[in-house]
């Protein structure tokens, strides 16, 4: 008999009909007359209850049906007399596909700490929490692609291995095939990268933006969605060495178009989660964060506040609030400042614009005032910066001035500079850290718990 | 005035109405009375013709409107008297956003070789060919996600940086932050990877399958879609050091279910291209490969042939064909053999199954005969192997035997082995090289021309 997924069966009304389900045993309980098996197959957070009458299934028959075992059950669908579940399956045949020795299987029904589950990341997708998080992650990834596809954007696969170190967004991992113990050397003792695989030093990308701009200057509107890397020794709940990033880049967009798109995009994603992940969100809302769903709805229904960096600094200075770090025009805002603006002052998502040139990247469009650039950061409650973006400097001379100021060698990004030489146009873009989005949508507190196999300093297991 | 994309304008019937378009000049021609500007914005392979009357636009006005320049045009939409284009835009206002000096801009209207275009990969998306290829690439990526999403599969982001070298699918790139010239050493002179970023030696993944199986053993049906890497010194038209791969993995699927899914998937993707990329396919069909569209249609309409490796060997041995490599049971088939089977013998896509154990990976399910495994390779006309997959060995002892035989250390993949210890189940999966699919769908001959920025030995530009 063909297998039916539990998510479909739970919504079926074909009572009296036989079905086959396969999945992993969450719990077994019962008495001498009957056993109740809660079975989950990953298609939904909800289990189907299997009812096995002692008249058909002896204790011996069911001895291997323990938590974590994989079983195949054929049975008759009936309305459930129990509360909280619409249907149950009266077992006719139960086959154990794979046992799970209760003495050694680590995922017993008692709750586990998230810290412990990180150590068994190969098994944690079988828990309610990680089943929910990973299903939501799937839906968010699909929503990203659907949003841009529906608008006619082109998904551009920018390179992961890069020979350019001009991005300047963070410390990089080197990619090499040279003999690690005895690398070929130049006469001056430095490593001779000409003998490396790519004939030069290469690293893992920290951003696909520069290549994304090349795409936008030909295809109009593009986006990237892929892994990015930071070799920073940050052991925090907000940092990963490997994470996924979404970077749209649009020809002919100014900073206002860019803000409109960012706000529409975030609202679309959150609404998509509310529409498509309700069971999983309700579970997370109940177990981890009682305000989760309310917070998601609030973001969808609230226009984001748009305010300049300069105004924000004034608000902070006048706030009377005691901050650990002093706020001065020209310094970068700290997390405590961003949270004050979002959570206390405006009480909604905030888009800060027009930051001082000195604290922002070289490619941002220079304002007329000679000291600020057309940057835009979207700040979210509980998260801080969720999106960073800008209108790009499309003027060749102005861009070149900044390239030189920040110490990038012209010859390292000749190809990037050429977009401003040949058919340049106003354009804009932004970056969304996918795991930051996941933190917001799931309410989880640690970024290691919203990616299947986290990579952090001293940890690359599985 | 809000910009209208050219793809929308070409399908508009709002004659007499004013529109604004922005894009890059492909060509300008004309006489003393009128200029015709072919403008492209990347939203479609088709240009819109801008008609600029000399009475409104002098030669001096249009001197910067040269091939490659970026312009903004406001004008009135009219039916086109010219053949092959439904509409044209009678210019009212033309603004040059970015010039392209004809003396230095390399993409003049004359044709360029694909080899030359690889050297200017930062500009080649502005050509018809690469515009077409990149739009098709987008649609194929979206179709991959849509296919699996609609079936309830979970998109699982398996790790790019891996501490495991058990995959065995190919040579790997090392990922490190150690001082390259003076790495820390152990007393025996070997590199002390304990001081590296992750506290051990790490590499770029060659496959997400092993982690994908962890997902399938919890969520039921998952797929990966991400970059993978091979540090092989292969300078061929079929190899990249960095490429994208799709790897679905399904609990409770046997090899037949796996073949059904692979065939349905490939047909879905090709049909999606036919349905959504007709203009771009027609261009490629005309310019590169006159049989392209016929070949795509044929794949969609033909049941794939399913035949065992053993039978295939017999067919080849009896063929009377002269092969460079002799065919013997137990040796891997060469490209010439695969092409004979697909293009000459069966004249359709072929799925070969049940290969000798010795030439396949350790994780494939062992057949009863003691010498073959439940592998399945899908062979395509002109491409050869486009998909490789198998039912997986779900029995712990049998898997462990093969792990030891091929020399993998048990402790390196304890987490993988545990899926067979706790709630194991029959399961299957396969891998599709995304650029192989792109070669088939676009008819391009070199894999470097179906990815935006190819990475190959001695080459990591842009």
């Amino acid at each position: 008999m063909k297998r039916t997924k539990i998510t479909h069966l739970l919504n079926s009304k074909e009572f009296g009909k036989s079905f086959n389900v396969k999945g992993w045993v969450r719990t077994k309980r019962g008495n001498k007359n009957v056993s109740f098996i809660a079975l989950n197959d990953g298609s939904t957070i909800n289990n189907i209850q299997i009812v096995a009458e002692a008249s058909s299934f002896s204790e011996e028959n069911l001895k291997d049906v323990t938590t974590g075992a994989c079983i195949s059950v054929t049975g008759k669908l009936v309305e459930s007399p129990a509360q909280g579940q619409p249907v149950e399956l009266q077992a006719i045949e139960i086959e154990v596909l794979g046992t799970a020795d209760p003495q050694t299987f680590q995922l017993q029904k008692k709750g586990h700490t998230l810290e412990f589950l990180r150590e068994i990341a190969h098994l944690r997708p079988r828990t309610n929490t990680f089943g929910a998080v990973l299903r939501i992650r799937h839906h968010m990834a699909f929503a990203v692609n659907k949003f841009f596809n529906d608008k006619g954007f082109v998904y551009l696969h920018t390179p992961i291995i890069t020979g350019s170190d001009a991005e300047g967004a963070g410390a990089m991992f080197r990619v090499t095939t040279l003999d690690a113990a005895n690398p070929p050397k130049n006469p001056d003792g430095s490593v001779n990268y000409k003998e490396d695989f790519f004939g030069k030093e290469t690293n893992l990308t920290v951003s696909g933006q520069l290549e994304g701009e090349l795409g936008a200057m030909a295809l109009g509107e593009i986006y990237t969605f892929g892994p990015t890397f930071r070799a920073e020794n940050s052991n925090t709940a907000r940092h990963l060495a490997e994470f996924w990033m979404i970077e749209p880049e649009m020809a002919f967009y100014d900073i206002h178009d860019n803000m409109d798109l960012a706000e529409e995009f975030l609202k679309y994603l959150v609404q998509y989660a509310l529409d498509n992940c309700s069971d999983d969100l309700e579970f997370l809302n109940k177990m981890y964060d009682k305000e989760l769903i309310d917070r998601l709805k609030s973001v969808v229904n609230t226009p984001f506040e748009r305010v300049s960096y300069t105004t924000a600094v004034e608000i902070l200075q006048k706030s009377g609030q005691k901050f650990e770090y002093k706020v001065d025009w020209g310094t970068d805002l700290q997390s405590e400042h961003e949270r004050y603006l979002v959570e206390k002052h405006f009480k909604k998502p905030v888009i800060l614009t027009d930051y001082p040139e000195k604290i922002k990247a070289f490619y941002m469009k220079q304002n007329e005032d000679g000291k600020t650039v057309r940057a835009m950061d979207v700040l979210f409650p509980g998260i801080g910066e969720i999106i960073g973006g800008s209108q790009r400097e499309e003027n060749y001379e102005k861009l070149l001035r900044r390239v030189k100021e920040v110490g990038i060698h012209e010859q390292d990004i000749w190809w990037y500079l050429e977009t401003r030489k040949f058919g340049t146009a106003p354009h804009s873009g932004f970056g969304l850290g996918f795991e930051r989005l996941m933190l917001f949508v799931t309410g989880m507190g640690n970024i290691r718990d919203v990616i299947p196999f986290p990579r952090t300093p001293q940890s690359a297991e599985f």
Side-chain angles (χ1 to χ4, degrees), chain A:
Chain A
M1 187 182 295
K2 214 174 136 56
R3 168 195 172 221
T4 300
K5 287 192 193 183
I6 290 171
T7 187
H8 297 145
L9 205 55
L10 289 175
N11 291 305
S12 173
K13 301 265 179 252
E14 298 185 77
F15 302 120
K17 206 182 144 189
S18 286
F19 291 93
N20 173 262
V21 292
K22 297 183 168 76
W24 292 270
V25 174
R26 287 292 165 84
T27 58
K28 184 180 68 176
R29 63 192 173 77
N31 53 44
K32 64 176 164 38
N33 297 320
V34 62
S35 294
F36 300 103
I37 303 160
L39 196 69
N40 189 284
D41 67 0
S43 64
T44 161
I45 196 158
N46 300 309
N47 305 322
I48 190 155
Q49 174 156 289
I50 311 292
V51 183
E53 308 273 354
S55 52
S56 307
F57 299 94
S58 68
E59 223 174 277
E60 175 64 20
N61 288 154
L62 297 181
K63 77 172 167 34
D64 285 338
V65 179
T66 58
T67 295
C70 187
I71 64 175
S72 170
V73 181
T74 303
K76 206 170 69 178
L77 189 71
V78 296
E79 278 190 89
S80 178
Q83 256 204 325
Q85 54 184 29
V87 302
E88 57 189 35
L89 201 64
Q90 284 185 332
I92 297 163
E93 201 186 325
I94 296 179
E95 183 192 355
V96 176
L97 301 174
T99 58
D101 178 3
Q103 303 304 316
T104 53
F105 183 59
Q106 293 186 288
L107 268 186
Q108 296 304 328
K109 57 189 162 183
K110 68 178 168 59
H112 301 280
T113 66
L114 294 172
E115 289 73 17
F116 171 73
L117 291 175
R118 268 172 233 147
E119 290 169 26
I120 53 167
H122 63 308
L123 294 176
R124 69 179 182 172
R126 292 197 201 169
T127 63
N128 282 330
T129 298
F130 287 92
V133 166
L134 293 173
R135 279 185 297 271
I136 294 171
R137 190 174 166 111
H138 162 77
H139 286 291
M140 289 296 88
F142 188 71
V144 166
N145 288 308
K146 183 164 164 50
F147 177 82
F148 288 119
N149 181 71
D150 290 354
K151 286 187 174 291
F153 282 54
V154 170
Y155 182 12
L156 192 77
H157 288 122
T158 49
I160 309 301
I161 297 173
T162 171
S164 144
D165 63 353
E167 291 153 344
M172 296 174 100
F173 289 102
R174 199 166 65 254
V175 174
T176 180
T177 57
L178 291 178
D179 182 333
N182 297 296
K185 298 270 180 88
N186 295 313
D188 67 358
S190 63
V191 171
N192 180 6
Y193 286 109
K194 288 211 176 79
E195 293 193 25
D196 208 346
F197 188 91
F198 295 106
K200 62 174 172 180
E201 188 175 352
T202 50
N203 297 289
L204 291 178
T205 186
V206 294
S207 162
Q209 180 198 317
L210 302 193
E211 291 90 351
E213 288 187 49
L214 304 177
M217 288 294 101
L219 302 165
E221 295 166 331
I222 66 94
Y223 72 105
T224 75
F225 184 10
T228 40
F229 305 86
R230 301 284 156 85
E232 273 145 29
N233 195 12
S234 302
N235 259 306
T236 80
R238 295 292 154 107
H239 289 87
L240 290 168
E242 173 182 317
F243 56 99
W244 285 65
M245 189 137 77
I246 298 132
E247 297 182 283
E249 193 71 35
M250 299 77 64
F252 316 122
Y253 279 48
D254 67 15
I255 192 174
H256 303 287
D257 303 322
N258 204 20
M259 286 192 279
D260 290 345
L261 185 76
E263 181 167 343
E264 183 189 349
F265 182 42
L266 287 168
K267 287 178 170 173
Y268 177 91
L269 295 173
V270 173
Q271 185 64 53
Y272 193 95
L274 288 167
D275 291 343
N276 291 277
C277 310
S278 51
D279 287 352
D280 290 324
L281 287 176
E282 275 162 29
F283 171 82
L284 295 172
N285 193 82
K286 191 174 74 184
M287 300 299 287
Y288 291 97
D289 182 347
K290 299 273 185 281
E291 292 165 9
L292 174 62
I293 292 176
D294 285 345
R295 198 162 55 240
L296 299 181
K297 287 183 178 164
S298 144
V299 159
V300 169
N301 295 321
T302 313
F304 297 2
E305 188 73 31
R306 300 181 184 190
V307 56
S308 75
Y309 166 91
T310 301
T311 304
V313 166
E314 285 165 15
I315 290 169
L316 291 165
Q317 287 174 333
K318 289 181 191 154
S319 69
Q321 193 80 6
K322 277 219 165 160
F323 294 115
E324 193 182 340
Y325 293 89
K326 192 157 161 271
V327 184
D328 278 317
W329 197 98
T331 58
D332 215 353
L333 298 185
Q334 301 295 320
S335 174
E336 57 177 338
H337 309 135
E338 295 176 347
R339 297 193 67 156
Y340 176 82
L341 291 168
V342 172
E343 293 161 27
K344 298 234 168 105
H345 187 83
F346 291 111
K347 295 190 171 54
K348 54 177 154 172
V350 174
I351 312 185
L352 286 188
T353 63
D354 301 291
Y355 282 74
E357 177 184 90
K358 298 244 181 306
I359 60 172
K360 285 291 181 183
F362 73 93
Y363 48 70
M364 296 190 179
K365 185 171 174 66
Q366 297 155 38
N367 279 321
E368 300 291 316
D369 64 15
K371 54 184 190 176
T372 61
V373 290
R374 287 195 197 157
M376 48 156 262
D377 285 359
V378 183
L379 312 180
F380 253 37
I383 302 291
E385 184 192 323
I386 193 164
I387 275 182
S390 71
Q391 186 168 341
R392 317 309 189 187
E393 182 52 75
E394 85 269 22
N395 178 285
Y396 178 76
E397 280 76 27
K398 288 186 185 174
L399 181 63
L400 189 60
R401 176 181 74 80
R402 283 291 288 155
V403 162
K404 288 178 174 165
E405 269 179 21
V406 303
I408 298 170
H409 297 298
E410 235 181 292
Q411 65 269 28
D412 286 346
I413 50 166
W414 63 272
W415 45 272
Y416 181 71
L417 291 167
E418 283 210 345
T419 55
R420 275 65 171 179
K421 265 190 194 162
F422 304 116
T424 191
H427 63 290
S428 299
F430 60 80
L432 168 67
F434 189 56
E435 284 76 18
R436 290 277 174 98
L437 172 76
M438 281 297 299
L439 284 175
F440 182 73
V441 171
T442 62
M444 301 296 285
N446 192 311
I447 202 163
R448 297 166 201 214
D449 296 331
V450 295
I451 191 167
F453 304 99
R455 268 71 183 109
T456 54
Q458 301 299 312
S459 177
E461 298 306 311
F462 314 106

